[in-house]
Amino acid sequence: MDYKETLLLPTTEFPMRGNLPENEPARLSSWYGERKIYEKMKQKRQNATKSFAIHDGPPYANGHLHIGHALNKILKDIITKTHYFFGENICYVPGWDCHGLPIEQQVEVKLGESKKTMSKSQIREHCRAHAREFIDIQRDEFKTLGIIGDFENPYLTMKFEFEADIYRALCEIAKRGLLIERSKPVYWSWAAKSALAEAEVEYEDKEDYSIYVAFELGSEALSRLGVSEAKAVIWTTTPWTLPANQAISLSPSEPYVLTQDGLILAAVLLENLTKLGITNGEIKTEFRAEILVGSSAINPLNGRESLFLTGDHVTMDGGTGLVHTAPGHGEDDYYVCLKNGITDVIMPVDDGGCYDSTLKVKGLFSADVVDEFVGLHIFKANDKILELLGDALLHSSKFIHSYPHCWRTHKPVIYRATKQWFIVMDDAKLDKKTLRQTALSELEKVKFYPAVGIKRIGSMIENRPDWCISRQRDWGVPIAFFRHKETKEPIFDADILENVAKIFDEKGADAWWDLSVPELLPASSKYKPENLEKVMDILDVWFDSGSTWRAVLNSQNYDAGEYPSSMYLEGSDQHRGWFQSSLLVSTAVNSHAPYKSVLTHGFTVDENGQKMSKSKGNVVAPQDVAKTYGVEILRLWVGLSDYSSDLKISDGILKQVSEQYRKIRNTIRFLLANVNDLKSLSSEFTLLDRWILARAKRAFDECEKCFKSYDFSKGFNILLNFLSADLSGIYLDVCKDRLYCDAKDSKRRKSAQTAMALITRSLLPLIAPTLTYTVDEVMEYAPDIVKNGSIDAFDLVCEPIKFDDSFDDELLFVSREKFFELIDALKKDKKIKTTLELVIESTCERILSYDMDEVADIYMVSSVRKFSDKEALCEFEVDGEKFKIVLSDEHKCPRCWKFNATTADGVCPRCQEVLDSAK
């Protein structure tokens, strides 16, 4: 007889192999096509008591997606779906940053010389078209990552009404007195010909000069020191700024010395300078800085006076203790000069980084050489300046150091004093608090993931300067203010501001350039158009993105959740970028943070922790991963990774993730296959089923706790350990006998099937936020007992297993583990082929009080009995209880393979009963 035909073998049409790259596109198409999944998710939770929404940090509409984009969007999707599958109402509106320099530069390349003949509006329309092109590209690429959201109505910062809302946010800040215009040194990108915000600066290595220059003292300074000759020694790494020197700053608290060779230096730095050979180190006299304050030294380049003053910014960690001070080229320089009455700031550098005619007007070089420098790029002037210094150059060398660069052009930036618009940090305009104080206070109310995030952004807010929000470019929202032609004072008239905003609503911000002053003024304006002129700067693109909370959450134009948003989620670099700009705009307008929580993730690196670059050949593109492994593997990689630090990814890592996915998929397949004929749930559970349900409840509850706190890597570690060790490693292996060999309606079999159905019901919605494609596929093959009334994955809701998880007979399973350690040796010695040949004898009364067939199954032996005198293959002890392994005296059953048959050619009693009932 072929006993295989009598077994209840598992069956399911759910395929073992996912064939993800081939199958995912069709499923995605159904989500956004006939099934309209986002709309379904909204409807399913419309009456939920809780809601959650991530306000999307807008990616830049330029270029294809990279792996960092994929990480960010998938993490947002996993978190949004986590809230959904835990029963909350969710919404997700994607958005795009559309203005700014990168797009403008791309368009400039395309237009070439023809740009010079175009109007601002024509150039801006080309920029708009470029942004539209990549929005469409990126929208499709984001969808393929399994991201579900309102892609039909995304927010775009270049929409007319959006530009109007950005402008309105600016107007509110102006009305609150936090917006000022002043000439001040700011980060300047000479390559982009624009001011930069701090967030637009990144640091790269740069080679620079290190020079020590002697300034001869003027007569007043010499008189105060009582000497006939002396020189003040300054140190700088920017020789090109020396023509614009206006002062020399000294420390108000440190002693200075005049050496025997006539040099003035800080006392604590004398030894360092002696080693360099700048001085012989012999001290003639020691004095305090106050002696020189108000007197002057002479700039060796041009003979101009350089005023001695004191400043707290002077440190003793290098240099000479005498700081070359050019207020047009440094923020500290600017403030210390302003404090000391130097208001005429010299700025001889044009917007392209070349010296201009100021050199002649101010006499910054001698007449015989000045023409060589006008029009010369400042970085090319260094060598010429060193040559002109002659004997005044005491020491020169080169070194490599970290230097600010423009993050768009990757060229070194400079400090350059220009007239710019600033949001002020330290004017008490917000209920007697400053913007800095208000922002720091609001941060205390925000939940950060990881928690250290508040320290990072907090320290940045504490130390940041006023925010320079103006740019001198074409593609952006204009700082659309009028000013008086004569006084140059800006006009913040409420009627004018709102009239301009309404025009932007209808015609977009291009109207600022297209329309005349009379056309932009309201009919009832008290101002005469001929007396006004337009401000022609545009807004820093960070202001655009920093005001999206207003245009998206407060406008009623988007189904994006409420203000403040549940969460902002971006890379850790956004502590100095979007998180900060959003906080400052929101607190400046509303005195309130725009977010309740902030989650940050690290950057993607290769398996060796190296930054990805095409030159290294270590770039992992999301499109390639999707084609090779499937998007589901990329999503699981995100779920398994600790996003709080940098995330490693490579082909080898993705293969490991694929193996984890295979284990999850095959476990689900086994569960489905074995409950395919279950029609109703049992309420009575065997020992083994009580154990696995207790373990499942404990694991799923811990996993749920982790997922709800966004600790996905820990949650998946708990989940995978349960699936591998407890469920597959023990339970499913043990259950095969009763599932295949028991009668179809036996209590043991139905108990096991019920446990499996309950575990599957809880498992699917738990992993659905991450493995959405797979769970949706599972639901097409799952039997009704698993679906429990659901049609597809998006009908599921996470519900804990309702079971007492206190059951866990540790002794039973510790002894099982010890038993299998000994089995390996018995098999190696060829004493047995299978554990079914064995009987376990024990002295443990508790174990012996259980159903013996049940305990035998747990050990995967043929039977369990009390300790006897029978000869043992081996013995072991656990917690003082003895266990003996002996060979079974009975015969192998040809149907179930247990050694419980009484005759050599017969089946065991259990199998005989099943066969008889089937006749």
Side-chain angles (χ1 to χ4, degrees), residues 227-481:
V227 295
S228 61
E229 185 180 348
K231 298 174 181 177
V233 183
I234 64 95
W235 171 80
T236 183
T237 61
T238 54
W240 61 269
T241 64
L242 284 173
N245 173 276
Q246 292 181 255
I248 296 175
S249 300
L250 301 97
S251 168
S253 57
E254 293 287 340
Y256 287 82
V257 297
L258 173 63
T259 66
Q260 290 289 356
D261 41 10
L263 303 179
I264 294 173
L265 310 158
V268 296
L269 296 171
L270 183 60
E271 184 179 349
N272 293 349
L273 299 168
T274 303
K275 290 178 180 178
L276 288 175
I278 292 172
T279 175
N280 59 24
E282 295 180 18
I283 299 174
K284 184 173 184 178
T285 184
E286 186 172 310
F287 61 93
R288 309 296 293 188
E290 286 79 6
I291 293 177
L292 292 177
V293 172
S295 65
S296 302
I298 308 301
N299 188 332
L301 275 181
N302 51 33
R304 290 173 58 91
E305 289 191 351
S306 182
L307 186 69
F308 282 114
L309 44 82
T310 57
D312 293 331
H313 67 291
V314 180
T315 62
M316 297 294 145
D317 54 1
T320 66
L322 292 86
V323 176
H324 152 56
T325 303
H329 293 303
E331 191 165 28
D332 288 333
D333 302 36
Y334 171 79
Y335 281 119
V336 75
C337 284
L338 193 66
K339 184 178 178 182
N340 285 274
I342 301 175
T343 56
D344 181 19
V345 176
I346 294 175
M347 171 43 58
V349 181
D350 67 16
D351 58 5
C354 297
Y355 285 125
D356 62 21
S357 58
T358 306
L359 295 181
K360 288 185 175 182
V361 175
K362 295 287 188 180
L364 302 186
F365 283 103
S366 60
D368 59 328
V369 299
V370 68
D371 288 335
E372 296 179 35
F373 288 91
V374 175
L376 182 67
H377 195 281
I378 52 175
F379 292 159
K380 293 181 179 179
N382 285 332
D383 290 339
K384 289 178 177 288
I385 288 173
L386 265 59
E387 186 178 337
L388 286 177
L389 286 171
D391 293 341
L393 181 61
L394 302 181
H395 188 274
S396 173
S397 61
K398 286 188 174 181
F399 73 114
I400 293 175
H401 65 145
S402 182
Y403 187 88
H405 284 64
C406 172
W407 78 336
R408 299 296 190 194
T409 65
H410 301 289
K411 300 292 185 183
V413 302
I414 60 174
Y415 260 112
R416 179 173 180 265
T418 57
K419 200 151 192 177
Q420 302 290 344
W421 292 88
F422 294 87
I423 294 175
V424 293
M425 297 295 297
D426 295 311
D427 283 8
K429 304 286 187 181
L430 303 176
D431 298 325
K432 299 182 180 180
K433 284 186 177 182
T434 68
L435 178 57
R436 192 185 311 278
Q437 290 169 336
T438 306
L440 289 170
S441 175
E442 284 299 300
L443 283 179
E444 295 294 332
K445 305 171 186 176
V446 177
K447 176 79 171 175
F448 281 85
Y449 303 92
V452 294
I454 189 173
K455 293 182 179 178
R456 186 170 184 194
I457 190 173
S459 65
M460 290 177 177
I461 295 292
E462 284 175 355
N463 298 303
R464 70 159 294 138
D466 293 342
W467 181 7
C468 176
I469 62 166
S470 49
R471 299 292 180 269
Q472 292 68 47
R473 302 294 299 183
D474 295 331
W475 181 226
V477 175
I479 299 178
F481 299 136

Side-chain angles (χ1 to χ4, degrees), residues 611-632:
K611 185 178 179 180
M612 293 185 186
S613 69
K614 290 181 180 178
S615 61
K616 291 180 181 177
N618 62 350
V619 173
V620 177
Q623 299 86 350
D624 293 339
V625 177
K627 290 176 183 176
T628 304
Y629 296 98
V631 168
E632 205 77 324

Side-chain angles (χ1 to χ4, degrees), residues 454-650:
I454 189 173
K455 293 182 179 178
R456 186 170 184 194
I457 190 173
S459 65
M460 290 177 177
I461 295 292
E462 284 175 355
N463 298 303
R464 70 159 294 138
D466 293 342
W467 181 7
C468 176
I469 62 166
S470 49
R471 299 292 180 269
Q472 292 68 47
R473 302 294 299 183
D474 295 331
W475 181 226
V477 175
I479 299 178
F481 299 136
F482 294 108
R483 57 158 62 99
H484 291 280
K485 283 183 180 178
E486 290 186 7
T487 66
K488 304 300 181 183
E489 285 296 311
I491 296 168
F492 297 141
D493 180 90
D495 291 338
I496 293 177
L497 299 181
E498 183 52 31
N499 191 66
V500 170
K502 287 180 179 178
I503 291 172
F504 286 3
D505 274 326
E506 181 183 347
K507 300 182 178 181
D510 291 5
W512 186 247
W513 290 277
D514 292 344
L515 303 182
S516 64
V517 173
E519 290 173 311
L520 289 164
L521 289 173
S524 59
S525 174
K526 60 186 178 183
Y527 293 92
K528 294 182 178 180
E530 62 269 21
N531 294 335
L532 305 180
E533 63 184 13
K534 299 177 187 177
V535 173
M536 300 305 287
D537 295 334
I538 64 168
L539 279 168
D540 170 15
V541 72
W542 286 107
F543 191 95
D544 284 24
S545 58
S547 59
T548 54
W549 57 266
R550 189 187 197 284
V552 176
L553 304 181
N554 284 357
S555 68
Q556 308 302 312
N557 294 328
Y558 305 92
D559 178 26
E562 299 177 350
Y563 170 89
S565 176
S566 307
M567 176 179 283
Y568 276 33
L569 188 167
E570 301 299 328
S572 55
D573 59 330
Q574 296 307 319
H575 284 119
R576 71 183 180 111
W578 190 54
F579 298 149
Q580 195 173 147
S581 64
S582 299
L583 175 68
L584 294 179
V585 174
S586 181
T587 49
V589 173
N590 291 333
S591 299
H592 202 294
Y595 36 66
K596 297 176 183 176
S597 65
V598 169
L599 187 146
T600 52
H601 58 77
F603 301 104
T604 52
V605 294
D606 69 14
E607 58 190 341
N608 299 314
Q610 298 296 310
K611 185 178 179 180
M612 293 185 186
S613 69
K614 290 181 180 178
S615 61
K616 291 180 181 177
N618 62 350
V619 173
V620 177
Q623 299 86 350
D624 293 339
V625 177
K627 290 176 183 176
T628 304
Y629 296 98
V631 168
E632 205 77 324
I633 303 305
L634 196 57
R635 294 180 64 89
L636 185 56
W637 166 73
V638 174
L640 291 172
S641 300
D642 178 7
Y643 60 76
S644 64
S645 57
D646 288 347
L647 290 79
K648 294 181 178 181
I649 187 169
S650 66

Side-chain angles (χ1 to χ4, degrees), residues 84-144:
Y84 174 79
F85 284 107
F86 279 113
E88 296 179 34
N89 181 19
I90 56 93
C91 49
Y92 176 67
V93 175
W96 274 271
D97 232 340
C98 306
H99 298 124
L101 185 61
I103 288 175
E104 189 171 344
Q105 286 179 326
Q106 291 286 330
V107 168
E108 284 178 348
V109 172
K110 290 180 183 178
L111 295 178
E113 289 296 312
S114 63
K115 181 193 173 187
K116 296 178 181 178
T117 62
M118 291 183 175
S119 68
K120 282 244 185 188
S121 293
Q122 288 173 323
I123 295 169
R124 286 169 60 85
E125 181 51 41
H126 279 281
C127 293
R128 201 177 294 277
H130 181 95
R132 276 195 293 264
E133 176 189 351
F134 280 98
I135 287 166
D136 290 340
I137 289 170
Q138 291 184 3
R139 186 202 323 254
D140 291 341
E141 290 176 342
F142 279 135
K143 285 182 178 180
T144 61

